Amino acid sequence: MSDTGPSPRSTTPRTVLISGASIAGPALAYWLHRYGFAVTVVERAPELRTGGYKVDIRGAAIEVAERMGILEDIRRASTDMQTGAYVNDDGKRIATLPADIFGARVGRDDEIMRGDLARILYERTRADVEYLFGDSITSITSATLATSTTSVTERADGRHGVDGVPGLHGADGIGGPDSPDGVDVTFEHAAPRRFDLVVGADGLHSTVRRLAFGPEEQFVRHLGAYISAFSMPNELGLDREELYHALPGRLICAYSSAGDPAAKGLLVFRSPRLSYDHRDPQQQLRLLEGAFEGVGTEASPAGGWGRVPRMLEAAREAGDFYFDGMQLIEMDRWSHGRVVLLGDAAHCPSPASGQGTGMALVGAYVLAGELAAAGRAPEEAFGRYETEMRGYVAVNHALARKFARDMTADTRRQIRFRHLMMRILPYMPWKNLIAQKIAEDVQRAAQAITLKDYPVPHRAAGTASAAARPTYAA
């Protein structure tokens, strides 16, 4: 990254609260600390969440990871997947291909478990960033309205903001760009505090988005399917291999990654949007079991892989059980006053895209860089952040819509045709061109942004890292 470029208009440290300690939040915290911000990250979970499924790092996200100095850490923690195969009802492999073809990975692309990446980012930031685990934001209030009784919190009538209008309100949203005022925040447990900026990096079901912009229902676009992921015993003896089994409207996957004695299960099923509590795993388990009822048993006319009943048992026992819809978040704007959204909270591309983690890394880099370049003009920084990211997000949302349809087949005939194509692919003289074509859409989406070079803070003499009050490149 270049040491030249526009200099920030101010080197005054500012305080930023980030909600969410998964990927986007700690990645943003890393960059903001380098630019001289004092950062606090609040996370609802009592400790760092190390579960989750495997995630791809591709295209622009590889470049961001390299600029962060974590690319080698990612390489060391790589899943190192070797093969992918489709299996029949008896678990017999009927079509096998290299795992990189399954994952549409090329060149420097890599794959890592979400929990491993979260750990890498946390270890890189924990000494310089304040983390508040086991807590969450309950209200956000414009400091310019400090004498008002109105705060950005959910009211008894279910509306938000001032006079029921979502968001933060003041003369220009939350005070002028040079206003000393900031954002007053209350927490479930910690004492109230004031911050200059608040960032919602708290995922698909973002609390910050709900408080500052309104109910999530107005931003969610359901893609017609649900997904569940969980750890399970590696009873199949998998070694860096992923197995897939397809049924009409359903997809079943089991895989193991390098260095993990356990395996992971992944279950996908088509469904209209369901009503359930996203914080109630027992309710989610019942929905999952209903979708796969009888699959893999002799009593089922649909048949199915015989491992499915055992996978459902493992889901019930897993400490890292995950369940959610394949959903996009679409918003006209990602900021209001001094509150801004990042990652899935702003533009979730759903697991169908395979791009959510990469987009979180890229978005964190862009947002921090624009804040540094804009100095004490957050509204300007937020506008430029959106300008840089909008096209990238649109391409990845389109990819998600396509893959959400493709993940599950409509009929057994379609499934048999897919299996046939996979079986004969290794013997085709043009197999490399076909593999390249398979990856083409994914790669286009992963590289749909050109990263800018932002000002780089020089290390102060005698310090081991960027200090809280850095000097900036001229």
Side-chain angles (χ1 to χ4, degrees):
M1 185 165 49
S2 170
D3 279 351
T4 62
S7 298
R9 291 200 287 266
S10 169
T11 59
T12 304
R14 285 169 289 164
T15 57
V16 180
L17 174 65
I18 301 171
S19 178
S22 181
I23 304 300
L28 179 65
Y30 168 87
W31 289 110
L32 289 180
H33 170 71
R34 289 195 63 190
Y35 289 126
F37 292 79
V39 184
T40 298
V41 178
V42 61
E43 167 58 47
R44 180 183 298 275
E47 59 188 7
L48 189 69
R49 293 179 297 166
T50 57
Y53 42 74
K54 53 191 178 70
V55 296
D56 285 290
I57 312 296
R58 305 184 180 98
I62 286 285
E63 187 173 347
V64 169
E66 191 167 42
R67 294 184 184 193
M68 294 179 74
I70 64 170
L71 187 56
E72 288 308 309
D73 294 327
I74 290 172
R75 299 282 190 237
R76 285 190 289 270
S78 173
T79 61
D80 193 30
M81 301 300 292
Q82 298 296 301
T83 59
Y86 271 91
V87 299
N88 62 14
D89 290 3
D90 297 324
K92 180 182 177 181
R93 291 160 178 78
I94 55 178
T96 302
L97 288 172
D100 282 351
I101 292 181
F102 270 86
R105 290 181 292 274
V106 301
R108 297 200 301 164
D109 294 357
D110 214 328
E111 184 182 63
I112 186 173
M113 298 303 294
R114 190 215 65 84
D116 287 338
L117 181 57
R119 174 184 51 78
I120 290 169
L121 293 170
Y122 177 64
E123 291 299 328
R124 286 297 181 107
T125 56
R126 62 184 301 183
D128 304 309
V129 171
E130 177 188 19
Y131 279 87
L132 302 176
F133 286 100
D135 210 343
S136 62
I137 297 171
T138 56
S139 72
I140 306 170
T141 307
S142 166
T144 59
L145 297 178
T147 59
S148 168
T149 59
T150 305
S151 65
V152 184
T153 187
E154 195 160 22
R155 301 174 359 172
D157 60 4
R159 298 189 298 172
H160 300 255
V162 180
D163 295 328
V165 179
L168 300 171
H169 297 271
D172 64 7
I174 189 164
D178 298 318
S179 168
D181 296 321
V183 186
D184 289 328
V185 179
T186 62
F187 302 90
E188 285 188 8
H189 304 295
R193 291 166 65 175
R194 177 174 295 181
F195 299 88
D196 293 314
L197 305 172
V198 173
V199 182
D202 42 357
L204 172 63
H205 304 293
S206 169
T207 295
V208 172
R209 187 185 61 231
R210 174 174 57 82
L211 293 176
F213 293 87
E216 77 173 44
E217 287 75 18
Q218 61 185 308
F219 309 117
V220 170
R221 308 293 179 260
H222 183 56
L223 297 181
Y226 285 83
I227 184 170
S228 178
F230 46 87
S231 293
M232 64 183 194
N234 191 0
E235 297 170 344
L236 293 168
L238 300 175
D239 180 13
R240 296 166 297 164
E241 180 182 24
E242 47 196 330
L243 302 181
Y244 291 89
H245 181 77
L247 291 170
R250 285 166 288 195
L251 181 66
I252 300 134
C253 176
Y255 65 90
S256 74
S257 60
D260 189 352
K264 299 288 184 182
L266 193 72
L267 299 173
V268 179
F269 65 94
R270 284 190 189 175
S271 171
R273 192 170 182 186
L274 302 171
S275 177
Y276 64 95
D277 183 348
H278 70 269
R279 293 181 185 160
D280 185 345
Q282 293 305 313
Q283 188 179 15
Q284 297 161 24
L285 279 163
R286 288 193 293 271
L287 293 173
L288 183 66
E289 290 168 342
F292 286 87
E293 184 176 5
V295 172
T297 67
E298 294 181 0
S300 172
W305 191 13
R307 300 299 306 182
V308 172
R310 181 67 189 98
M311 292 176 72
L312 291 173
E313 290 178 14
R316 287 192 291 271
E317 299 165 1
D320 59 355
F321 174 75
Y322 167 86
F323 178 94
D324 217 327
M326 296 278 198
Q327 296 169 336
L328 304 180
I329 292 294
E330 296 182 333
M331 303 183 70
D332 292 335
R333 60 184 301 179
W334 302 330
S335 67
H336 196 83
R338 293 191 183 182
V339 177
V340 65
L341 302 177
L342 174 67
D344 282 357
H347 47 66
C348 178
S350 89
S353 72
Q355 288 288 97
T357 297
M359 293 171 71
L361 292 175
V362 171
Y365 171 81
V366 173
L367 176 56
E370 295 296 349
L371 282 168
R376 294 192 58 81
E379 293 86 351
E380 178 184 336
F382 296 160
R384 296 197 309 212
Y385 155 64
E386 290 205 31
T387 297
E388 291 296 311
M389 290 289 292
R390 281 289 181 183
Y392 178 54
V393 168
V395 173
N396 281 283
H397 276 194
L399 182 72
R401 291 187 184 93
K402 177 182 184 297
F403 281 0
R405 294 191 300 267
D406 293 347
M407 285 181 74
T408 55
D410 292 322
T411 66
R412 285 191 174 274
R413 182 177 180 180
Q414 288 180 340
I415 293 169
R416 288 193 296 269
F417 180 75
R418 289 184 185 183
H419 292 171
L420 174 62
M421 291 296 99
M422 292 181 63
R423 282 199 299 269
I424 66 176
L425 179 59
Y427 306 103
M428 292 181 176
W430 55 87
K431 62 182 178 183
N432 291 335
L433 291 176
I434 295 175
Q436 183 178 351
K437 181 63 177 176
I438 292 172
E440 192 173 87
D441 288 344
V442 174
Q443 291 300 318
R444 185 184 302 111
Q447 299 172 24
I449 185 171
T450 300
L451 298 177
K452 293 167 62 174
D453 287 343
Y454 293 105
V456 179
H458 295 299
R459 292 181 180 178
T463 62
S465 63
R469 297 174 184 268
T471 57
Y472 288 82

